[in-house]
Amino acid sequence: MVDTAGVVDTGGSLSPGVGGCRLSCVSMNTPRDPEALGTPQTRHSQALRAAPAEQLHWVSWLRVLAICGVVTIHATGATAVRPDAWSTGVGALAIVLNRGFNYTVPVFVMLSGALLLDPGRYRGDADFLRRRALRLVPAVIVWHLFYWGFRVFYLDQSVAWQSALKLTLNGRLFTALYFFWIVLGLAVVTPVLVAWVADASRRAVLIAGAAAAAIPAMTTATVAFRGAPLNWVETPWTWWMPYLGVYILGWGLRGVVLRGPALFAALFSAVAIGAVIAATFRREGVPVWFTGLIGGYYSLGVQLFAVLVFLVAQAMVRPGGLLGGLCRAGPARVGRMLGAATLGVFALHLAVLSVSYDLPVVGGSPAASTVLELLGRLGGVLVVTFLLVLAMRRIPVVRRLV
């Protein structure tokens, strides 16, 4: 979803990196070059450059998990919001799946920050912005044109070009295409951030990231009290703002490896937050202020959820970790291949999902009526979309769009 394809080879080693950093109930020890120690502000970046190569298999696999979560959210959404959802088995399952993957968008932004904010791989402002523009601008244009045509020719909807342009700028031409504006906005501010993080300590990066993340969280939490909407930030030129905090935190937390009780606590907390988000979804009697704390991607609960998932994946998917088998040559190769396809899967799955409504067994209305229909539709959309995107990536010109 967030375009990190082509930035690094996420299945192998990356140097310079922060692989020497380990957190064990919560102690941080980063190798340093004694002769390179400078001011507190510069020690962090110097330590990163001195650290050994970092294994980034976890990035590929977390991207795969996150994009599967995005598809799950969209495939189960209509079923989860039915008024009687909690009273049916398929509705309750849809809610659990839908809300349980609520961390996906912030996690994608964190992964992007973990890779793009690396000063050791930065080759200058002009080079970065040129590469980002060549990668993102054609994709934004082509996929919006694609979904305009999809609405007109497949869904048989009347959408004049003026309306299509307005819907595009409001991120509502088709479900979730607004995310392209988030990626573009963060790309524009990245050169400024890289210049800062290059000389900042890890503590400074984490404090800045947490402070920036607190702004949208407080905005969401106080909506009912203030009586003001959030839509001021949902425009092409401001959509990136609520995600700036997790973008910075992605770099600040890269290389922080939880172990032992700290890892267990993070895993347990992530599951608990996901369970609370699902259990309180569209429930009567849930206080409005509590919904503001855990509802929506900007909220404190969801951002904390994303941070915990990020840390757990980083700790478990590495040689010697609980999911270290995914780092072996064969699985790592699969992870790289699937992880590189996430932008294309994000862009294409919406059309595949719409087409699935017209198919037998898994088709019908967007709201599934049986568990078989729900899971069959979800599995079918995932498999078909990945296969299509992997095939499209073999075509040189098309590869730049997916």
Side-chain angles (χ1 to χ4, degrees), residues 16-392:
V18 290
C21 179
R22 297 292 183 268
L23 185 66
S24 181
C25 299
V26 181
S27 169
M28 196 178 295
N29 297 293
T30 306
R32 295 176 177 177
D33 177 0
E35 296 181 359
L37 293 179
T39 65
Q41 289 73 27
T42 62
R43 289 173 185 167
H44 177 54
S45 58
Q46 292 168 343
L48 298 186
R49 296 186 183 97
E54 178 188 2
Q55 296 292 327
L56 291 177
H57 304 291
W58 64 274
V59 172
S60 292
W61 284 113
L62 184 53
R63 287 166 65 189
V64 174
L65 175 64
I67 196 61
C68 289
V70 169
V71 176
T72 300
I73 288 173
H74 295 150
T76 60
T79 310
V81 299
R82 289 179 57 172
D84 64 341
W86 275 116
S87 64
T88 65
V90 64
L93 176 61
I95 290 173
V96 171
L97 292 174
N98 188 275
R99 298 295 90 185
F101 281 104
N102 234 21
Y103 60 82
T104 53
V105 171
V107 157
F108 267 119
V109 176
M110 291 186 72
L111 288 172
S112 193
L115 300 177
L116 297 180
L117 293 179
D118 183 355
R121 296 186 62 84
Y122 200 70
R123 297 294 178 266
D125 300 345
D127 177 78
F128 175 83
L129 292 174
R130 179 180 61 82
R131 289 176 180 272
R132 290 284 85 194
L134 289 176
R135 173 63 171 158
L136 295 175
V137 173
V140 170
I141 295 172
V142 169
W143 283 112
H144 279 85
L145 288 174
F146 170 84
Y147 277 103
W148 181 24
F150 185 79
R151 290 186 61 175
V152 172
F153 298 108
Y154 185 83
L155 299 180
D156 197 25
Q157 298 175 354
S158 178
V159 185
W161 73 265
Q162 298 93 332
S163 297
L165 181 58
K166 291 178 181 178
L167 290 169
T168 295
L169 292 177
N170 285 308
R172 290 177 173 82
L173 181 64
F174 215 84
T175 306
L177 292 184
Y178 70 87
F179 198 81
F180 280 115
W181 299 121
I182 297 173
V183 177
L184 283 169
L186 290 173
V188 171
V189 300
T190 292
V192 177
L193 295 175
V194 171
W196 172 66
V197 301
D199 290 325
S201 66
R202 185 190 294 274
R203 177 178 296 179
V205 173
L206 292 176
I207 291 174
I215 295 173
M218 290 298 296
T219 302
T220 301
T222 59
V223 163
F225 175 76
R226 294 180 296 105
L230 286 173
N231 58 6
W232 66 271
V233 79
E234 296 179 347
T235 69
W237 20 89
T238 56
W239 233 312
W240 59 273
M241 291 181 178
Y243 296 94
L244 178 61
V246 289
Y247 188 60
I248 296 172
L249 286 174
W251 170 248
L253 292 173
R254 189 181 126 185
V256 177
V257 181
L258 305 181
R259 298 185 185 279
L263 175 57
F264 175 81
L267 179 59
F268 177 82
S269 298
V271 173
I273 291 175
V276 170
I277 292 174
T280 57
F281 180 68
R282 299 176 72 89
R283 291 280 200 180
E284 293 183 4
V286 177
V288 175
W289 65 264
F290 189 76
T291 302
L293 285 176
I294 64 171
Y297 295 138
Y298 307 154
S299 69
L300 175 63
V302 172
Q303 291 190 86
L304 182 57
F305 194 8
V307 167
L308 291 170
V309 170
F310 182 93
L311 289 172
V312 168
Q314 188 171 202
M316 295 178 66
V317 186
R318 63 176 49 246
L322 293 176
L323 297 178
L326 295 176
C327 302
R328 295 173 182 170
R333 190 161 49 250
V334 173
R336 286 197 299 273
M337 178 181 65
L338 298 179
T342 53
L343 177 66
V345 172
F346 160 69
L348 185 61
H349 84 275
L350 301 167
V352 176
L353 177 61
S354 294
V355 172
S356 73
Y357 300 148
D358 298 327
L359 300 178
V361 182
V362 300
S365 67
S369 57
T370 67
V371 171
L372 176 62
E373 182 182 333
L374 181 73
L375 296 181
R377 179 182 298 167
L378 172 58
V381 171
L382 279 170
V383 171
V384 170
T385 307
F386 263 110
L387 289 177
L388 287 174
V389 171
L390 290 175
M392 293 166 67

